[in-house]
Amino acid sequence: MQIQINGRIWLEGSDRFFGIGRLELLTHIQRTGSINQAAKAMNMSYKRAWELVQSMNGQADAPLVATQTGGEKGGGAVVTEEGLKYIAYFQGLQDRFRQFITQEMAQLP
């Protein structure tokens, strides 16, 4: 049997703030311009996706996602500059975490 080190990393505020799932959600919102389409891409209910967006927006200093209500062309959502900062930061954090795991694996007895 080969022993491996495994782990996950996330950011917390008053509640879980940002992790791999929320990163994926923001990435899909950025790509589709829609919380609903992002939820569908992740096989998640719209309600759950909306709750995650509200949680992130409520904990951050500035909203990560801005929404527009429906109109002639329908509503939509965009990842804000603040959201883009968190996407970039968390992707870098994930890379550094993977490097840490790799280094620690080399130290296993």
Side-chain angles (χ1 to χ4, degrees), residues 12-87:
E12 289 185 350
S14 57
D15 194 8
R16 185 168 290 196
F17 171 63
F18 205 93
I20 193 72
R22 293 172 194 225
L23 170 66
E24 184 180 355
L25 178 61
L26 287 187
T27 302
H28 283 295
I29 291 170
Q30 183 180 23
R31 185 177 52 77
T32 64
S34 165
I35 295 171
N36 188 38
Q37 290 301 313
K40 286 179 182 178
M42 295 178 68
N43 293 317
M44 175 188 298
S45 72
Y46 173 80
K47 181 179 185 290
R48 179 69 180 142
W50 177 254
E51 289 169 349
L52 293 174
V53 167
Q54 291 296 97
S55 173
M56 288 184 285
N57 281 351
Q59 293 182 76
D61 291 335
L64 306 190
V65 175
T67 59
Q68 298 172 309
T69 56
E72 189 175 301
K73 296 182 181 179
V78 295
V79 176
T80 64
E81 286 298 317
E82 188 78 359
L84 294 174
K85 288 178 191 176
Y86 275 100
I87 288 172

